[in-house]
Amino acid sequence: MRALKTAATVAASLALVAAGTAPATAATWRMEKGRQGVCLDPDFGHPGAYFIGSVVGTWSRTITTGLSNLPPNAVFKGSSVLPPGSHVNPPGSSIINVFAGVAIGPAPAGEYHSELWATDGKHTESTPIRITFRDGC
């Protein structure tokens, strides 16, 4: 009886460990990190700018893209949508396959840290964008 109880306890413990350590489904795509930025005169901004990126890998869900943390008076104008598919960059290069448009109005002098992001609804990645407003740009 004691052996049966021990066996049942071990089996239950193994079941809990197995359930708790099941591998999560890893994303099979990523957004390559880049360094983008723009310097603008605080009195003028830029009426038609865009930021670019590269999503690589394979995806079975549509990937949408956008911008976040924009400076004051900036208006997001739309961006790429990637239907299910794949993309591979040749070694040593990066082919752009996503972009996001923005109209940037005048803003107080300073540095703003925005992001270009991509998501398939379950997995999200981003790359930083620096938007600087200062005289003499």
Side-chain angles (χ1 to χ4, degrees):
M1 180 69 146
R2 183 173 181 179
L4 192 55
K5 208 181 233 186
T6 301
T9 302
V10 169
S13 296
L14 289 175
L16 286 173
V17 168
T21 59
T25 303
T28 57
W29 64 270
R30 71 183 182 348
M31 176 177 269
E32 291 193 338
K33 300 299 180 197
R35 295 182 64 137
Q36 295 186 71
V38 63
C39 185
L40 305 167
D41 186 300
D43 295 330
F44 299 106
H46 195 294
Y50 62 93
F51 296 102
I52 57 177
S54 183
V55 171
V56 296
T58 302
W59 51 95
S60 59
R61 299 166 53 99
T62 298
I63 294 176
T64 57
T65 60
L67 296 169
S68 59
N69 303 323
L70 291 170
N73 297 323
V75 178
F76 173 61
K77 295 295 211 176
S79 60
S80 302
V81 174
L82 301 174
S86 64
H87 175 76
V88 177
N89 283 328
S93 68
S94 183
I95 297 173
I96 303 308
N97 62 352
V98 297
F99 69 94
V102 62
I104 305 171
E111 191 171 277
Y112 299 86
H113 299 276
S114 301
E115 291 182 323
L116 171 63
W117 53 261
T119 186
D120 64 7
K122 290 190 175 197
H123 177 73
T124 302
E125 295 219 357
S126 64
T127 187
I129 298 168
R130 184 182 324 189
I131 303 173
T132 304
F133 288 89
R134 74 167 187 253
D135 291 328
C137 284

